[in-house]
Amino acid sequence: MITFGFRNKFGGLLRAVVAIALGAVMVSFPATSLVIIVKIVAAFLIASGVVSLIFGIVNRANGGLSLMITNTVVDIVLGIIVFMFPAEVASIVMLLIGVFLMVFGIFQMSALFSASRVFPMGAWSFVLPALCTVGGALVVFHPFGLGKFITLVAGIALLVYGVSDLISTWKMRKAMKEYEIRFNESSSASASGSGSPMDNVKDVDYEKVGEDK
């Protein structure tokens, strides 16, 4: 059974929360949300560079200053570039979001299909992952052009993915528990049926022949 990404129940919850939060922002502000998000990422990169520099200065006695200076330069330069060209970076981010939605939508359907052999899923369980995959394809290939509409589509697809991931995580946890129960029962049955090879050997009755008197 495919369980990659669902072994840790908090992983699915974290993915769902991030997707729903990001999707809600993009749906609420389709015209400006993506550029704002890119600028926030740029600010975090610059702040990370500053923190790395401070950390390197504080720990310069341990020889970590040269490494931290390298991290500082990379983070700050990358942050400045992202901040100077938010629209261009936003288009790349949009492409990555579309690929993410497609890949994880297909993966969800594969995992649910694999788990359906152990635990009944129902056809409706595949609807949201399918919609997520279609939304990701629309974002990647944007047949209706770029702009607010495609941002809105991406936001809705992220919301769908977040809800779908919550449901899929819940169902996969139940399927894994059912699988473990069946596996343990099968192992117990095998163990009880496999005794010593000598258990099936029947004792032979014999009579001692006495000496003739």
Side-chain angles (χ1 to χ4, degrees):
M1 184 173 65
I2 300 174
T3 58
F4 180 76
F6 294 101
R7 275 293 176 184
N8 186 350
K9 62 182 179 180
F10 296 106
L13 180 61
L14 180 61
R15 291 194 305 267
V17 169
V18 171
I20 291 174
L22 185 59
V25 172
M26 294 175 69
V27 169
S28 302
F29 309 100
T32 58
S33 59
L34 201 58
V35 173
I36 292 174
I37 291 172
V38 169
K39 289 184 177 180
I40 291 174
V41 171
F44 271 113
L45 285 171
I46 295 174
S48 175
V50 174
V51 170
S52 296
L53 179 61
I54 296 174
F55 182 82
I57 293 174
V58 172
N59 295 275
R60 61 182 179 274
N62 298 328
L65 181 59
S66 58
L67 178 61
M68 290 299 103
I69 288 179
T70 303
N71 292 341
T72 298
V73 172
V74 171
D75 288 344
I76 292 179
V77 170
L78 186 59
I80 292 174
I81 292 175
V82 171
F83 197 85
M84 291 177 60
F85 305 98
E88 290 76 5
V89 175
S91 62
I92 298 175
V93 171
M94 185 69 74
L95 178 64
L96 294 176
I97 290 175
V99 173
F100 168 84
L101 290 169
M102 288 180 61
V103 170
F104 276 82
I106 294 173
F107 176 76
Q108 272 190 15
M109 288 189 288
S110 301
L112 290 173
F113 178 76
S114 174
S116 65
R117 302 175 183 176
V118 179
F119 184 81
M121 293 293 175
W124 66 271
S125 301
F126 298 89
V127 173
L128 291 180
L131 291 176
C132 172
T133 304
V134 172
L138 289 175
V139 174
V140 171
F141 300 106
H142 47 268
F144 305 106
L146 297 172
K148 292 191 296 183
F149 177 76
I150 201 65
T151 304
L152 185 63
V153 171
I156 294 173
L158 282 170
L159 289 173
V160 171
Y161 168 75
V163 175
S164 176
D165 210 13
L166 285 177
I167 297 174
S168 298
T169 299
W170 172 64
K171 284 187 168 291
M172 287 297 296
R173 297 300 299 179
K174 295 184 71 173
M176 284 188 284
K177 288 181 180 179
E178 180 68 21
Y179 178 80
E180 289 175 359
I181 292 173
R182 294 186 184 182
F183 179 78
N184 290 334
E185 289 178 349
S186 177
S187 299
S188 299
S190 299
S192 61
S194 59
S196 172
M198 299 300 294
D199 291 343
N200 295 325
V201 177
K202 184 178 179 180
D203 291 335
V204 178
D205 296 329
Y206 65 92
E207 181 180 356
K208 183 178 180 179
V209 179
E211 297 179 356
D212 294 335
K213 294 183 180 180

